[in-house]
């Protein structure tokens, strides 16, 4: 990739689907020298080395950070503060740190606590990609291709550091956008965190019914799609729910009000009112998927795979 | 298909995705002589003829029903009563009538009103298959392959008529099950009708927000799957919601109680309680999809395509 930012040494905390795919994508794009894997699971690190996702596994944080250009934290959000605190004593002035957490206001606050005056070196980010599988074996070079990555820079970040983190994600094939951390969290509370909670709620509701076995027998493809996100990690979504509690409560309350309104329409047999809601939803969704398809059709062919 | 029931003449009211696919599947299975298309849309009927879905278009109900072995009503549920009433004067003693409606208690009641003493000739049914597209062009011979079709026989139906309708669906590749009409409606209120209402509710909720444009920009594949059923026909789902109002209200109330409970967990910051719900849902869904995959793996190879 001519003219792209190049990173001599990249350190990745968490070499699963997200971190591993970032490593593979940077390598495929030819913008990285050496990649070091770090993390709590020796097994995952060994597997990442075996799969060629990382070039080495860090013996210590000090050694890993020695001469590092870029660090990606791709571990559960609740671990971000501890990881950053452990990095601080070894963090060189020229190293940029970013993360891949699904919530950003809490991560920014955790980073401020952990890094103090060095906060300018941390540029928070959130790649909007994932999958039902996890671990190094799930990592693929094209996970971020055509997907959005949202950076939520802090006032202390320099424009050049933001641009370098953006450059790394662009090299991975992602489309980089910027939001304020709080704005990010409100947006994702609505379009991601609430739907997850709703899907978990429905499956748990059905699973707890006396005749759950009968119900699951007749659940079909519509149910399968609707509940696909309930296949996600309970621990991860517990952390996200708590980390983004205020925004999620706000979205949940709005949704509860919507459901209670629709319950009244249904109880009154008001077909016209129900149809108005259904038709508005169908139209909005069609507009949205139409825009996605148009964007996909106009995208440059994928050259990184 | 050796030994299968054969139908000399099949009449199909509504030659779209559901009725058209039934016609194509019966023809592919070689169990049908002549197929007559009926319906309100001259355009759809002409297209079905052009595509070879039907052999002819009925000039009148009298002519269509003359010598008919089997009639499938694949029109919106709200039209079932009028269609059956229009058939009654021409309905021969040897003709079996069935339908493909998504609700069954209301259809059974409508059939009783329309057919009176001839009710024994009507065997209600519901193929659990569909798609986002509609009309004759969406019809495919393998739509029902490996899918369930639920028959909800009435006490007046003869075992032989039930077996003949079951035989038609089996010839289409479907797995035939039986439920009581009321039991059917309760099951589908939980696993289909409620999820549709919930998906419509979420998209409408988001579409009505001041910053809807921003929200849709960041909605990703999880949101797309979760809301896929909100692409369905608003008219059809209005009818289903009203036709199955009592069961749907019951399921909606249970779900609202579940959400209100989860809201309290979230407000209290009770991560352990939330995780228990999420983990139970993930486990139940995994068990369910595992059972589906096992069933698919053990299915005979598809020979009708």
């Amino acid at each position: 990739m001519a003219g792209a930012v190049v990173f001599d040494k990249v350190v990745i905390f968490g070499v699963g689907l997200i971190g591993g795919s970032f490593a593979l994508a940077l390598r495929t794009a030819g913008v990285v020298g050496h990649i070091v894997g770090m993390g709590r699971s020796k097994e995952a690190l060994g597997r990442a080395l075996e799969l060629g996702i990382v070039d080495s596994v860090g013996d210590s944080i000090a050694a890993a950070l020695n001469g590092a250009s870029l660090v990606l934290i791709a571990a559960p959000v609740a671990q971000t503060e501890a990881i950053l605190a452990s990095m601080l004593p070894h963090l060189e002035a020229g190293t940029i740190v970013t993360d891949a957490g699904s919530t950003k206001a809490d991560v920014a606050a955790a980073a401020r606590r952990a890094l103090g005056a060095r906060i300018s070196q941390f540029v928070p980010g959130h790649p909007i990609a994932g999958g039902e599988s996890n671990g190094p074996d799930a990592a693929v070079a094209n996970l971020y291709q055509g997907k959005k990555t949202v950076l939520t820079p802090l006032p202390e970040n320099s424009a050049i550091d933001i641009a370098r983190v953006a450059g790394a994600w662009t090299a991975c094939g992602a489309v980089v956008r910027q939001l304020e951390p709080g704005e990010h969290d409100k947006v994702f509370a609505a379009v991601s965190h609430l739907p997850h909670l709703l899907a978990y709620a429905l499956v748990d509701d059905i699973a707890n019914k006396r005749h759950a076995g009968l119900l699951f027998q007749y659940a079909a493809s519509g149910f399968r799609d609707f509940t696909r996100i309930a296949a996600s990690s309970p621990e991860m979504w517990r952390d996200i729910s708590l980390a983004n509690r205020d925004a999620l409560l706000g979205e949940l309350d709005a949704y509860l009000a919507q459901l209670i309104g629709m319950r009244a329409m249904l109880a009154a047999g008001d077909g016209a009112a129900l149809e108005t809601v259904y038709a508005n939803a169908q139209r909005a969704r069609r507009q949205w998927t139409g825009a996605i398809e148009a964007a996909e059709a106009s995208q440059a062919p994928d050259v990184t795979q």
Side-chain angles (χ1 to χ4, degrees), chain A residues 157-217:
Chain A
N157 295 148
S158 70
I160 188 140
D161 283 357
I162 298 168
R164 282 178 63 82
V165 174
W169 285 109
T170 304
C172 293
V175 178
V176 178
R177 297 288 169 82
Q178 288 193 23
L179 292 173
E180 300 277 321
E183 190 183 20
H184 167 281
D185 288 358
K186 278 186 190 161
V187 167
F188 286 91
V191 301
S192 171
H193 309 170
L194 177 64
H196 275 80
L197 186 149
L198 299 179
Y200 281 127
L202 183 70
V203 181
D204 180 66
D205 181 31
I206 288 181
N208 288 333
K209 287 185 199 278
R210 199 178 31 77
H211 55 311
L214 180 70
L215 296 177
F216 280 118
Q217 258 184 62

Side-chain angles (χ1 to χ4, degrees), chain A residues 100-113:
Chain A
S102 299
T103 52
K104 297 270 66 79
D106 68 313
V107 163
R112 279 183 198 288
R113 286 192 300 270

